Structures are given as structure tokens and as C-alpha cells.
Amino acid sequence: MATIYIDNVPYEVKSDKNLLEACLTLGFNLPYFCWHPALGSVGACRQCAIKVFKDETDTKGRLVMSCMEPVRDNLRLSIDEPGAKEFRETVIEWLMTNHPHDCAVCDEGGSCHLQDMTVMTGHSYRRYQFKKRTYRNQYLGPFLNHEMNRCIQCYRCVRFYKDYAGGKDLDVFAAHNHVYFGRSEDGVLESEFSGNLAEVCPTGVFTDKTLKQHYTRKWDLTMAPSVCQHCSLGCNITAGERYGSLRQITNRYNGEVNGYFICDRGRFGYEFVNSASRVRKALVRTQLPEAVTKEVALQQVTTALKSSRLMGFGSPRASLESNFALKTLVGADNFYQGVSDNEYDLTALTLKILKESPARTSSLKEVEKADAIFILGEDLTNTAPMLALAVRQAVRQQPLEQVNKANIPLWQDAAARELIQGETGPLFLSTITATKLDEVATATWPASPDAIARLGFAVAYFINSDSPPVMNLPEAELLLAQQIAEALKAARKPLIISGCSSGSEAVLKAAANIVSALYSQNTAAGMVLTVPECNSLGLAMMGGHRLESAMEAIQNGYSDSVIILENNLYRSTDKVTVDSFLKNAKQVVVLDHLHHATSDKAHILLPAGTFAEADGTLVNNEGRAQRFYQVYPTAEDIQESWRWLIQIGKTLHHPKLSGWENLDDITRAIQEDNSLFKGLESIGPPASFRIAGEKIAREPHRYSGRTAMNAHLNVSEPKPPEDPDSPLSFTMEGYRGQVPSPIIPFFWSPGWNSMQSVNKYQDEVGGHLRYGDPGIRLIEPKPETTPHYFTAVPEDFQPLSDHLFMVPLYHIFGSEELSILSPGIAQRAPNPYVALSPADAMDLGLQEGDSLSFTLDRQNYQLPVKLNNILTRGTAGLPKGLPGVPFTDLPTWAIILKSEPEIKPAWKNQAPIIS
């Protein structure tokens, strides 16, 4: 710690910070543009000037840029010295000379960092009278608008896009006094993190195109804290609504999870909430739609299920509360997880490893600090994008040691990057095909799932020979395994990353063996295992039976009716099996927010709320339980799945469900029922929580038009709806100070209307939120555990004649069920295909674009061929979840059809519904 004097008042601050960070952490308002807590300092904008003095007798001082000046003990500075204030005002006047006067029509207007800093410096009158410099804007794809005339040359965009996220197609182009930030030509931005430019940019150069399509001023959004639904990492988001539709998703800072950024699928995949395929009204197959009210639907459910032998299918995309309510209603013996049998086994194994391993599952923040990483079987950019972004920061850790030795502070970003250039630390990948992380990897080994597992087992053996050896390993793999083992042993913070994406239990077991081997050598390794969906791990912790046994229960008459919770069974197993199951069920009740193949077979369909219309809890891949809150109430039949189930339980006089009224009741019951969920009740404040007698407002105090919004329906202002499930109100009335971090609906502070206001909510800039980051860890490691080794090493992959081993491939845009219903995401999704190695294509007499016919799960398919130079011979890549591609448990064998069958191409039969 060091003591600094700000305007002659002493303050104690951390000595490894720069003065701008120190001042902001202490709560001072000091303007800045080019600096960003995640990107460091480059001193490009000159806006954060302060006066620094030699000692207490120095009255003149010297101007310095606070973002470039390190903290030193007994340093004296002034923020309010007239010379410093005048300099800052002059700088922003320079920056504004070519900035257009378009705040009234700019998407950033009213939530703009440039506006905030202009007011903060006191600059209020423009003296520049000449023609402004102008540029031509570019088309950058479906996610972002480009308005270069607003640029103030802060360089944040290229520093994030190129340096932080590894993008290649956005750059800065300059000639004399013309500086242009964009692509070399019009085109879609290729990075999966491009949407962060809308928040990184301090003005309106890059703005959210999806918001513009249904434009709303940001202060007119009703907002609530939420959790991303599109992968297992549990990134925190803020969701905003206006006029009953979801309008925008922005990053919600969490110092342990996603920090300042989210991926493009998380940011732009939200429009499934507004999709034309939404279920908005209860439907009963035997009655006319107009005759079915919520009450009629509940009565029909009661009649249908009263004397039934009931079973229930849960869902990895439904909340803990909804899954538990269904499990309680049907009974634990009749509750099925609703995932494919392979996914069931993989998530169960993942949970077992997390519970029994001595290693702590690393948070995304901890991943960034790893200094040697081995990734087995995961294409992270497409399955867990923010984890891939964290790995990109981790590969800099070892080279940054040179920066420390050169006495350059790590926040001195330009100098640090100049010193290490493109050098990276140890990163090894063994995946099914090429990934975007290959470009920063030390070595890569693309292979089949079994071969990936064999390499992992060999690495574990070379770390500790108590782990089982691998027989007949080729020399190249043997040398690579030794290289990986040595790098992991030499690291201070080694990290093993794997997961369920390869579809192989052996890959997971190999990863677990490596971690155990490292711990046996007294090396505290980190581990990250990804799971398929946002609540896959929570569902596995809750328990439940396999899908296959559910099919048998219906077939053998043990059950005759089924409730399906937020689940399209056709994404879990083959069509023939699901058709037979639904046909044999006497009553099929489906609760979901989307029309799909399963809901089309329902006898009764109940409209469930999405994450924007419901409250609930998700458990991410590290076992962190986090709460998402309802953004806005609905006037239709839509309500939370767990609320529907409670109402069904009450009509059926169920002893447990009859006593539940709100979210807190279910959360308490979950905690009491299952020791794995101990502490769940403390995940956020209860519904009764108040500050100074007030709830927390979901709407900013600037929220406008409330009394006129429904004037076309009623000139009287209706009573605001009540929220019985949370301490949040659906109005602009409520407490406006600092609130517990799980229920911060939006970041705002006087003078800080943009996303930069988050610094007012942090213990220190870039650190944890005050009152702690949202979420609680339900699974903690047991370091004292004796290392356990899995012993079943798979045999090496061998091709089969007239067969192809179908392995899963993933796409960040297209593989996930919900986001594909967003027009922008659908535009970026690839067309259906099957990937073949050139050797296999040659054997089959096929070229790029030709059709491959094959049999999979008792059905014939025909897909166009895409050549892939990386795939192992004898395997074929099938895009998992992509509309138009058959849903099946992968990996599995497919039979090649030599002559074309009389079938329609699969991709013509299944197209996503786009609003």
C-alpha cells in the first residue's frame, strides 16, 4: 500500500495501480477515454490530465496523464487545480471539433460516455465554425451499426478487437489528420465478440443494430439483472424491455465470471423472446383456441391428470425451481432429466469429477491467470466463447513475466505488448477439428475423441506413473504427451480444460486423471469442465432418470401421462423413438415458451415465461448458482413454469405444492430436499427485502412516457403490477442507492450515465462488486482427497468399411436452440452440411458441395459435403443442433448409402422460425 495526497488530503491506495485507477477507486470523478480497466493504458486521448507536485512546497506542479503515472508513496497530486481543469476542457474541445451535433438522434444519446465526460470537464460551448471532417460508414454485419463521424480516436475499439479478443479484420487506417477505424472493405465482422464494441466505444461509432430495429432510449428501458441462457458459463447480463418486448441485452459486470464482456451469442441471441414461434396462449387440443383461458387450461389439466400414472421430463434450459416443482409434482421416481442418454452420462460424470476432484473449478477470472493450459476435446470459441476469450488472456501470463522483470507495470499496456510482441505461453489443444485458438497454441493435435482421450491418459502417466499407461502410442503423440506433461509440471498455475462437447466419457476421464496426477506432484492445478446447456449441471445435481427408461415406462404401462417442461424431445433422441413415445402417452402436457416439434404433439400446451418473464436460478459449469429476475410482467397467459406447476399441484391437492406461494418457498424447499444445494437461499435477498422501506426500481428515474404508454387503451394510469417473488418493483419508484449486487437492475451514478458507471459499484476498479459478486459456489474441492485415477484407456480409433464415425461439430451461431430464432444469429449461421476429410471424400467419389447420403438412427439423410483437412480419416463432422441437421447422440456410426435414397434433403424439412 502507498499513501498519496489528493488536493492535500491523504489516501491509502494499492501501489501497483496507476493514478487514474486510484482516483476512480477512491470515488473521484476524473474524465478519461482511451483507458479501460480490462485494456490498460496507452495515453492516447490526453483527457485524464492532473497536476503532480514534487512536495508540499511545490505550488507550480506539472501536468501528467493520470493513466500513465504510477502510484508512488507520498506522491502529491491535484484533480481540481485550475491549470489541470483548463487543460482537460481544452482537450475535449479538440476532440469535439469534428464530432457531429447529433446527440438527439444518436443511439448513445443519454447513455454516452462522451456526453458524461464533456459535462464533467465543463466544456459547453463550441467555437469551431468550419466544415467538419466526414467519413463513409461501413456495413459490418447484422449486429453493429458504424458511424465513423462520431469517432474521437480513442483507439479502444481496435485495442479490444485485435489485442484483447484476437480479431483480424478490424483495424485503424490513417493518413495525416484522417484516422479511420473499420475494415479494409465492407463486410461482416468475423469476431465472436464484436458486440462488445458497442460498450467499449465511448461514443456512438459502434452501436447495437438489434436495438435500432426497435429503438428505445436506454433510460426508457425496464431492466433487471439476469443470466445468459445460451451456454453453461453463466455470464451475467442486464436485460431491457419496452412496450412488452425485449429490446436489448448488455453486459452486467461480475468480477468472478464474465467481467466487462459477453460474447455475441449472449448479446444478440435474445430475440427468441420476441419470436413469432412464441407460445403466448394456453391451448387445449379438444377446444377452440378462443375458448381456452388460463382457468380453463388448468381445469383441463386437472381432469386429464387426476387419475393418471404421471411422469415428468425436466430440462437443462429450465430453472432449478421449475425442475424441482415438476419433480415434486410427479415424484422423484417418475422424474426424468429429459436429455439424451449420452448427455445424461456425460453430465453425471462431470458432476462426479467436480465433487471428487481435489482441484478447484476455475472461474473465468481465474482462467485468465493460468500460465499453462491443456484443452481436451473442446472447441471453446463455439461451445463456451467467453472461456476462449479468457484463454487468450491466459497465454500472455508467462510472457508478461518479462514485463515484470523490466520493471514495466502490467497496466502499461502499449509498453507491455511492445516488449512481448506476439509471444505466448504454453497452450496445447487436442480437438476434433481446427479451432480459432490454434493460432495462439504451442501445439495442436486434432484427432478422434478416443485418440484425444489416449493423449490425455498419456500426459497423466508422464506426470505420475500411478496413472494407467497408454499402449501402442505413436512416437509423435508420445513426444507431444511428454512435452505437455513437462509444461504443466513446470507451471505455477496449470489448467486443464475439457467438457462434454466431444461426446466422450473417456476424454473427461483423461482430463480428470491429469488433474489428479498434478495434485499428486503437489501442483495445485485448476480445472474447467463445460456442460451442454445453461442449467445442465443444476439438473444433474437435482437427479432424475434416463430418457431411455422413460420410454420403457410408457411402453410397459408403468406411466400413461407425461408433463414435458421446456424441452423439445426431438433434440434429445431420434424421431422414431419420440414419435412412438408421444403416441403411447394418454395425455401429453407441455410447458414451454416456444412452438416446436414436441409442443405440436401436446394435448395441452401451457405458455411458460422466458428468462425475461420469469424468476429462477441456474447453476453454471463451475457449480455457481445465480439468480435471474423477471424483467417485465406479461398481460397474457404467460407465467413461470414453476408457477404453472404449483397451480396444477393445488388443483390436484398435492400436499407439498399446495403450501408454496412464491419463489422463496421453492428455493427453501430445494435446499431442504438436497444437501448439494445447501446455501441456495442466500443467493440473493428474499422477496421481503427492503432498503429504507423501499423496493428496488427496475426503471431509471429518467424513465419517461409512463402515463401515456397505454393511453390508446385507457387514459387512466393503471396500478403498477406487484412482484411477489423479488425485492424489485416494476416502476421507477424505489430505492436508488447502492443495493446488494445480485439485484442491481442497471448501473448508473450521478454524472455517469454510460456503462462506465460500473466503477462506482466496485470495491476497486476492475475488482469485485461491493457486497460481493453475484452467485454462490455450491461445489468446492476436497484437496485432502487421495488422487483417484480412471483406468479404462480406450483403444485407438479404427475406420469401418462403408461406415463413417459421426463426430459433433459446433457453431456459436446456429448450434444453440434458442438463439437461432434471432434474425441476426440466423443470418450468421451456416447452412446444413456434413464435413469429410479429403481422403474420405475421394474414396466416396465426392467433391465439395456434393450430397452424401447416409443412415442414422433408422432414418436416411442427405447433406451437402464440406471438405475439412483436419478431420481424422474415417470420421465425419455433423454440426450439432444446426437447423436442418438430424438430432442424434454423437459420436455414433452412420451407414453410408451407396445409391441415393428417395428422400428430400434434410435441410429442406427443418427450417428455423424467424420473427
Side-chain angles (χ1 to χ4, degrees):
M1 300 294 283
T3 300
I4 63 173
Y5 295 84
I6 302 177
D7 291 312
N8 295 319
V9 178
Y11 297 92
E12 207 171 66
V13 296
K14 287 188 175 180
S15 54
D16 60 346
K17 304 293 184 183
N18 61 50
L19 290 180
L20 176 58
E21 285 183 86
C23 291
L24 292 174
T25 295
L26 292 169
F28 289 95
N29 289 335
L30 184 57
Y32 62 88
F33 287 117
C34 65
W35 175 81
H36 186 282
L39 306 179
S41 304
V42 291
C45 70
R46 325 305 291 169
Q47 185 59 71
C48 62
I50 58 172
K51 273 283 181 76
V52 170
F53 303 93
K54 293 179 183 177
D55 51 41
E56 62 269 22
T57 62
D58 182 7
T59 57
K60 187 175 181 180
R62 61 186 177 90
L63 280 170
V64 301
M65 302 307 118
S66 59
C67 74
M68 302 296 287
E69 190 74 13
V71 165
R72 299 191 306 275
D73 200 28
N74 293 318
L75 181 143
R76 292 180 174 271
L77 65 95
S78 175
I79 296 173
D80 295 328
E81 196 272 340
K85 292 176 70 174
E86 184 181 349
F87 183 87
R88 294 197 296 265
E89 185 178 347
T90 303
V91 167
I92 207 159
E93 186 174 21
W94 295 339
L95 295 175
M96 296 289 282
T97 52
N98 288 295
H99 193 81
H101 295 223
D102 67 346
C103 293
V105 296
C106 175
D107 295 1
E108 289 293 300
S111 57
C112 173
H113 186 59
L114 176 61
Q115 285 180 330
D116 290 346
M117 300 300 97
T118 303
V119 172
M120 195 177 291
T121 60
H123 173 63
S124 57
Y125 181 75
R126 297 196 184 197
R127 295 181 290 171
Y128 185 73
Q129 299 295 319
F130 308 99
K131 184 178 284 189
K132 292 180 180 290
R133 179 188 60 216
T134 58
Y135 296 102
R136 184 185 70 82
N137 302 318
Q138 292 182 320
Y139 169 76
L140 299 177
F143 298 150
L144 290 174
N145 282 306
H146 187 229
E147 179 53 75
M148 254 308 294
N149 294 326
R150 297 172 183 154
C151 183
I152 57 169
Q153 294 87 48
C154 72
Y155 287 84
R156 270 194 188 185
C157 56
V158 293
R159 291 179 60 223
F160 168 77
Y161 195 91
K162 289 179 62 181
D163 297 343
Y164 194 91
K168 301 288 189 298
D169 59 322
L170 181 80
D171 215 327
V172 54
F173 306 91
H176 46 89
N177 69 329
H178 291 274
V179 183
Y180 190 90
F181 296 87
R183 301 180 87 250
S184 58
E185 59 183 5
D186 284 22
V188 178
L189 286 172
E190 295 169 3
S191 173
E192 294 79 7
F193 309 99
S194 64
N196 291 293
L197 295 176
E199 290 182 26
V200 166
C201 178
T203 178
V205 177
F206 300 98
T207 53
D208 184 341
K209 186 177 282 189
T210 65
L211 175 65
K212 196 179 190 76
Q213 290 166 358
H214 36 220
Y215 185 63
T216 303
R217 286 296 185 192
K218 291 178 186 176
W219 66 76
D220 279 337
L221 292 171
T222 300
M223 290 172 274
S226 195
V227 178
C228 183
Q229 309 284 301
H230 303 304
C231 83
S232 65
L233 297 182
C235 295
N236 287 202
I237 56 174
T238 296
E241 169 270 353
R242 180 77 166 176
Y243 289 111
S245 70
L246 199 60
R247 301 293 176 95
Q248 188 183 40
I249 295 293
T250 54
N251 171 70
R252 179 166 65 106
Y253 182 86
N254 185 316
E256 283 295 328
V257 188
N258 51 300
Y260 290 94
F261 308 118
I262 53 175
C263 74
D264 286 356
R265 183 166 68 188
R267 186 181 297 275
F268 301 113
Y270 69 90
E271 290 189 280
F272 75 90
V273 175
N274 310 319
S275 168
S277 64
R278 281 298 306 276
V279 182
R280 299 191 178 276
K281 194 177 188 306
L283 298 171
V284 177
R285 191 168 294 280
T286 56
Q287 298 197 17
L288 293 172
E290 55 269 23
V292 180
T293 63
K294 187 184 293 186
E295 292 71 25
V296 169
L298 280 171
Q299 185 56 49
Q300 289 292 320
V301 171
T302 306
T303 303
L305 302 182
K306 202 162 192 178
S307 57
S308 296
R309 297 185 299 278
L310 197 56
M311 67 161 57
F313 281 106
S315 170
R317 62 174 167 86
S319 67
L320 281 180
E321 289 79 6
S322 294
N323 277 298
F324 185 73
L326 178 59
K327 183 179 179 181
T328 305
L329 178 64
V330 301
D333 291 340
N334 303 308
F335 179 72
Y336 301 84
Q337 288 193 12
V339 298
S340 72
D341 288 342
N342 193 35
E343 186 175 319
Y344 179 97
D345 292 336
L346 289 166
T347 51
L349 177 59
T350 300
L351 180 59
K352 173 184 170 66
I353 292 170
L354 294 181
K355 287 164 61 178
E356 297 178 0
S357 173
R360 176 181 173 83
T361 302
S362 300
S363 68
L364 290 181
K365 191 70 173 178
E366 291 165 338
V367 170
E368 293 180 1
K369 302 302 180 186
D371 57 352
I373 299 176
F374 183 26
I375 300 173
L376 295 90
E378 289 292 314
D379 179 1
L380 295 180
T381 306
N382 289 304
T383 60
M386 286 301 296
L387 183 53
L389 190 62
V391 168
R392 285 187 178 274
Q393 314 322 309
V395 296
R396 299 181 67 231
Q397 290 304 308
Q398 211 171 86
L400 284 175
E401 292 176 8
Q402 302 173 39
V403 177
N404 284 323
K405 290 175 183 176
N407 292 321
I408 298 172
L410 294 181
W411 48 260
Q412 190 74 274
D413 191 64
R417 290 187 185 276
E418 183 68 24
L419 180 62
I420 66 175
Q421 297 292 315
E423 189 178 342
T424 60
L427 169 63
F428 301 92
L429 294 99
S430 185
T431 51
I432 289 172
T433 187
T435 77
K436 280 200 170 183
L437 287 176
D438 291 358
E439 64 189 16
V440 294
T442 308
T444 63
W445 188 264
S448 67
D450 281 348
I452 292 169
R454 285 169 61 81
L455 177 65
F457 277 107
V459 170
Y461 176 76
F462 284 122
I463 295 171
N464 186 342
S465 58
D466 290 341
S467 182
V470 181
M471 310 307 293
N472 304 318
L473 201 65
E475 186 178 356
E477 291 182 55
L478 200 68
L479 293 172
L480 178 60
Q482 289 175 327
Q483 182 188 0
I484 296 170
E486 292 303 318
L488 294 173
K489 286 194 291 185
R492 288 180 292 103
K493 295 180 179 179
L495 176 68
I496 310 303
I497 298 176
S498 188
C500 303
S501 300
S502 65
S504 169
E505 289 188 43
V507 170
L508 282 168
K509 291 174 180 177
N513 273 17
I514 298 171
V515 171
S516 293
L518 287 167
Y519 262 84
S520 70
Q521 302 297 309
N522 298 315
T523 302
M527 176 174 60
V528 177
L529 302 178
T530 67
V531 288
E533 297 197 50
C534 60
N535 202 26
S536 291
L537 195 62
L539 183 61
M541 292 168 70
M542 188 164 289
H545 303 300
R546 302 163 64 90
L547 192 66
E548 183 182 5
S549 57
M551 307 302 174
E552 292 172 359
I554 282 283
Q555 222 168 24
N556 297 328
Y558 297 125
S559 301
D560 56 17
S561 297
V562 59
I563 298 177
I564 302 172
L565 169 68
E566 299 182 34
N567 199 329
N568 181 3
L569 297 181
Y570 287 92
R571 289 181 67 94
S572 299
T573 190
D574 64 278
K575 183 176 184 299
V576 174
T577 301
V578 180
D579 282 346
S580 173
F581 171 79
L582 294 176
K583 185 179 179 181
N584 288 330
K586 185 177 73 176
Q587 293 293 335
V588 177
V589 178
V590 174
L591 293 90
D592 213 335
H593 42 75
L594 295 169
H595 286 286
H596 45 63
T598 303
S599 67
D600 290 345
K601 302 287 181 69
H603 298 111
I604 301 173
L605 179 59
L606 303 178
T610 64
F611 74 97
E613 301 142 337
D615 304 278
T617 306
L618 303 176
V619 180
N620 78 347
N621 67 302
E622 58 172 314
R624 184 185 300 272
Q626 299 182 107
R627 178 71 51 81
F628 62 90
Y629 290 92
Q630 186 174 359
V631 184
Y632 57 98
T634 58
E636 301 160 299
D637 292 350
I638 298 171
Q639 59 183 0
E640 298 96 332
S641 292
W642 53 260
R643 199 179 298 280
W644 278 114
L645 292 164
I646 287 175
Q647 291 170 355
I648 292 170
K650 288 182 176 180
T651 61
L652 293 172
H653 305 293
H654 192 284
K656 288 186 178 178
L657 276 77
S658 297
W660 295 349
E661 296 295 336
N662 60 19
L663 190 73
D664 290 341
D665 293 337
I666 309 179
T667 305
R668 194 176 304 114
I670 294 172
Q671 185 176 274
E672 292 169 357
D673 179 76
N674 190 333
S675 61
L676 283 177
F677 296 105
K678 184 179 179 181
L680 190 66
E681 213 173 356
S682 61
I683 194 171
S688 58
F689 178 81
R690 301 289 185 274
I691 300 179
E694 294 184 301
K695 280 196 163 195
I696 315 304
R698 282 180 171 92
E699 298 169 357
H701 69 280
R702 297 184 293 165
Y703 191 89
S704 63
R706 188 178 71 184
T707 56
M709 287 173 68
N710 297 308
H712 63 295
L713 302 174
N714 192 332
V715 294
S716 301
E717 183 181 2
K719 180 184 177 182
E722 295 289 330
D723 184 358
D725 304 304
S726 81
L728 299 164
S729 72
F730 287 114
T731 69
M732 57 192 286
E733 288 80 25
Y735 183 76
R736 301 205 171 275
Q738 292 276 333
V739 302
S741 55
I743 54 171
I744 298 172
F746 49 84
F747 294 115
W748 179 89
S749 186
W752 298 81
N753 298 292
S754 74
M755 289 296 293
Q756 312 298 319
S757 58
V758 70
N759 74 77
K760 299 294 184 182
Y761 291 77
Q762 296 167 324
D763 285 332
E764 63 173 306
V765 172
H768 300 289
L769 291 172
R770 290 176 190 163
Y771 311 114
D773 294 308
I776 61 167
R777 288 278 297 249
L778 299 176
I779 303 174
E780 290 296 346
K782 300 173 181 176
E784 70 283 354
T785 303
T786 303
H788 164 75
Y789 297 106
F790 294 97
T791 57
V793 179
E795 294 295 320
D796 200 4
F797 171 76
Q798 297 296 327
L800 268 182
S801 177
D802 297 328
H803 289 70
L804 284 169
F805 191 59
M806 292 288 181
V807 292
L809 302 180
Y810 295 85
H811 294 274
I812 181 175
F813 306 123
S815 289
E816 197 272 328
E817 179 183 8
L818 302 179
S819 60
I820 189 61
L821 295 178
S822 301
I825 299 289
Q827 188 176 325
R828 295 287 305 275
N831 292 322
Y833 69 91
V834 59
L836 293 181
S837 70
D840 284 325
M842 184 180 295
D843 290 345
L844 294 168
L846 298 173
Q847 297 180 349
E848 181 100 15
D850 291 347
S851 291
L852 173 71
S853 301
F854 56 94
T855 297
L856 197 61
D857 288 334
R858 296 171 286 176
Q859 290 196 91
N860 295 335
Y861 295 96
Q862 184 177 303
L863 289 171
V865 168
K866 184 181 286 187
L867 296 183
N868 185 312
N869 295 321
I870 308 298
L871 278 177
T872 302
R873 187 167 188 170
T875 67
L878 199 60
K880 192 81 181 281
L882 201 65
V885 175
F887 298 122
T888 188
D889 247 347
L890 297 176
T892 191
W893 289 98
I895 303 171
I896 302 168
L897 299 175
K898 297 296 185 180
S899 58
E900 290 192 5
E902 293 297 320
I903 56 171
K904 295 179 181 177
W907 67 92
K908 292 183 180 178
N909 296 333
Q910 301 178 26
I913 302 170
I914 309 299
S915 61

